[in-house]
Amino acid sequence: MTAEITREDAWSEYWQTGALHSCATSLDDGYSGAIGDFWHEVASEIPEGAAVLDIATGNGPVPKFLAGFNNASTWLIRGIDLAGIHPTWLNSASHVDVKLIGNCGLGEAQSKLLAGGDPTQFNVLTSQFGWEYITPRSDAIEQALQLTKPGGVWRFVSHHADGVLAKVAREEVAHVDFLLGESGLLKRAKDLLPWMERAILDVETVRNNAQASDARNAYNDAMAGISDRLRTSSAPDLLNEAREGIHSLVAQVGGGAKLRHHDILMQWRQGLHASRLRCQELIDHCLSQSDIDMLFAELRIRDSDVAATAVELSQAERLLGWGIRVNWSA
Ligand SMILES: C[S@@+](CC[C@H](N)C(=O)[O-])C[C@H]1O[C@@H](n2cnc3c(N)ncnc32)[C@H](O)[C@@H]1O
């Protein structure tokens, strides 16, 4: 059995790997392309002396990007995230006033910022694939507004319901279910590994044992099933990683390595559950055009003069997300 994993745990586990952003395979650190263009434009409009807050910052790719700008030495940059974070790049950003606060949900940001001697209202709120995760949306709007100075702006890159990242997430959820299913690779490896271990001591008995050969065949079938899936998958990374990782475990045990394979498989299982949760949350929180319309209608209830736009960010015919700009009246 795997203990129920929370959103916070799933992301904390991810950020502890040191990854800079959540779409490690979809965005380059140099921020070229449509999302980079959006943030370049945002950065070029931030006035001197501005206070910037990045919501759901993760390991802080947006603060890191902003910290590289000439004007950054005049800005105060803060980031908050619900999860435990591990932004190693901060050690080398000493010329900029930047601080990231982990284990801090948006709803508690004001009190935590205050406790840390930081401002509690900002000229610019940013978020990359983050703010939309916070629901109910009316709370997320309210909480973000409390952190916004009059006349402040929001600049968000958000997941798009028809975007490539949502598509990848849907595929990865299906991959995880396949891997963790009753005849999936994890279960098959679990059944096989004790036989592999026993074969080191007594190869003949294992060779002639029907259960052992059933376990071997079932494992091979599971591996073949992955190969079939890989042939048609447009998002193969997770499957490849699991296939290589489990294959290597089986090969090591078969070669006589004394490994706690039960624990290793349990870690794999937990990691896959966490991946699934992150993907499912992306799917559940990505924004369609009608979500954007509803969002903007809610903003206008709070400020009839608010200016809000959303553009689709695409590159090489891949729809990556929404670029949302909100300017509050003074
Ligand atoms: C897809 S990641 C984006 C992280 C980062 N902005 C990036 O571009 O890589 C979504 C983040 O939202 C955070 N998050 C979810 N709910 C939150 C909340 N209520 N308050 C603050 N952060 C939250 C998660 O912990 C996670 O780190």
Side-chain angles (χ1 to χ4, degrees), residues 30 68 74 131 158 191 197 232 235 254 304 309:
T74 75
W131 180 80
S158 297
D191 294 344
E197 220 167 21
T232 53
S304 55
T309 60

Side-chain angles (χ1 to χ4, degrees), residues 7-8 11-12 14-15 20-23 27 31 54-62 80-85 104-108 127-135 143 159 278 281-282:
R7 165 189 281 191
E8 206 170 328
W11 281 110
S12 299
Y14 182 82
W15 298 124
L20 181 60
H21 42 63
S22 56
C23 305
L27 289 174
Y31 271 68
D54 190 48
I55 298 170
T57 193
N59 277 344
V62 174
I80 59 108
D81 197 283
L82 179 70
I85 54 174
C104 176
L106 181 60
E108 53 191 339
S127 190
Q128 174 172 271
F129 301 131
W131 180 80
E132 69 273 30
Y133 283 75
I134 303 166
T135 52
Q143 290 162 359
H159 285 297
R278 292 191 298 268
E281 291 225 317
L282 190 167

